[in-house]
Amino acid sequence: QVQLVESGGGLVQAGESLRLSCVASGISIFSISAMGWYRQAPGKQRELVASINLGGSANYADSVKGRFTISRDKTTVYLQMNSLTPEDTAVYFCNCNARGVGRNYWGQGTQVTVSS
């Protein structure tokens, strides 16, 4: 079974940085079209934060452009988060999109809390 395990979440003050990691197992990089990060804050819908395909092209939500950077090494995806604000507080979920049928796999999530 495909499993995605996130790490790196925590509590930081506004203006500080965090680096999230997600390790995908049970799947080959050749079976992946893209990997990314989503987040869900209390009372809000889950939203795409950033994604990256095998060619290295990345997409970002407008709210994080210039502050967050997504990168990938084989089936591990990272999210470098700089200049964090309380608005970034959420549970961050790793996502892996498989080729062919376009099936999505999800991690369990890691909590990011930014204090003012």
Side-chain angles (χ1 to χ4, degrees), residues 6-22:
E6 304 102 333
S7 62
L11 173 63
V12 297
Q13 294 182 324
E16 296 184 340
S17 300
L18 280 175
R19 182 176 173 85
L20 305 183
S21 299
C22 171

Side-chain angles (χ1 to χ4, degrees), residues 39-102:
R39 68 185 180 187
Q40 187 167 23
K44 295 185 178 181
Q45 299 293 318
R46 184 175 298 188
E47 64 173 347
L48 174 67
V49 178
S51 65
I52 186 169
N53 63 23
L54 269 62
S57 296
N59 291 311
Y60 298 93
D62 289 341
S63 59
V64 306
K65 287 181 179 178
R67 299 189 299 120
F68 290 10
T69 302
I70 189 170
S71 61
R72 182 189 62 79
D73 179 17
K74 295 184 179 179
T75 60
T76 301
V77 65
Y78 305 93
L79 185 67
Q80 179 66 45
M81 305 184 295
N82 298 327
S83 302
L84 286 163
T85 75
E87 298 299 314
D88 297 314
T89 296
V91 177
Y92 284 70
F93 297 91
C94 182
N95 170 266
C96 176
N97 183 260
R99 293 183 180 276
V101 298

